[in-house]
Amino acid sequence: ELKKKGLFNITRLAESHAAVLLCRLREICLAVTSEVTNLRSKVSYSAIVTLGELFAILKKDMDSQVDEVAPVLLQMVWNSPEFVQKAASQSLGIMVENVTPARAMTALMDKGVK
């Protein structure tokens, strides 16, 4: 519950004070991404949704994080319970819509093929 609450708070912070997150975006994304593979599917789901929301809110500011986030989300699309797969697919879609197209395509092609 504490991890889910923390992930929720990251999203709220991005909505109201994005500048605070931008200076430590790499560390935040690494922390959230590490929770995507949490054995608790509710925590994993919350982390996936949080990443999608970060892409939606921060848009092109998330370009630098695509190479780290895309492979983890791709792994969850084919190696998880159905509701987690659906969330990962939606977050990937949000990523593609909001970052630089070339960055998204490169990450998906490089990581997706592997």
Side-chain angles (χ1 to χ4, degrees), residues 63 66-68 70-71 74 92 95-96 99-114:
D63 273 10
V66 170
D67 291 335
E68 298 292 328
L74 283 168
L92 282 167
M95 178 192 80
V96 168
V99 299
T100 305
R103 174 73 84 165
M105 186 176 70
T106 301
L108 291 173
M109 294 298 288
D110 286 350
K111 308 306 180 192
V113 170
K114 292 177 185 171

Side-chain angles (χ1 to χ4, degrees), residues 3-70:
K3 286 186 179 194
K4 283 176 53 181
K5 190 173 187 177
L7 291 164
F8 176 79
N9 287 334
I10 288 172
T11 301
R12 298 305 148 245
L13 188 58
E15 289 176 335
S16 58
H17 303 290
V20 172
L21 289 183
L22 291 177
C23 64
R24 304 212 41 206
L25 189 58
R26 178 165 170 67
E27 293 91 349
I28 291 165
C29 285
L30 286 174
V32 175
T33 302
S34 72
E35 294 302 329
V36 168
T37 56
N38 191 301
L39 295 178
R40 294 289 223 194
S41 57
K42 287 183 178 183
V43 174
S44 176
Y45 175 84
S46 294
I48 291 167
V49 170
T50 298
L51 287 171
E53 290 177 351
L54 287 174
F55 280 114
I57 295 165
L58 301 176
K59 301 189 185 305
K60 303 258 189 270
D61 289 324
M62 287 289 288
D63 273 10
S64 61
Q65 305 308 311
V66 170
D67 291 335
E68 298 292 328
V69 173

Side-chain angles (χ1 to χ4, degrees), residues 72-85:
V72 177
L73 291 177
L74 283 168
Q75 177 186 4
M76 299 310 284
V77 167
W78 63 270
N79 193 21
S80 303
E82 187 176 340
F83 77 102
V84 174
Q85 289 177 355

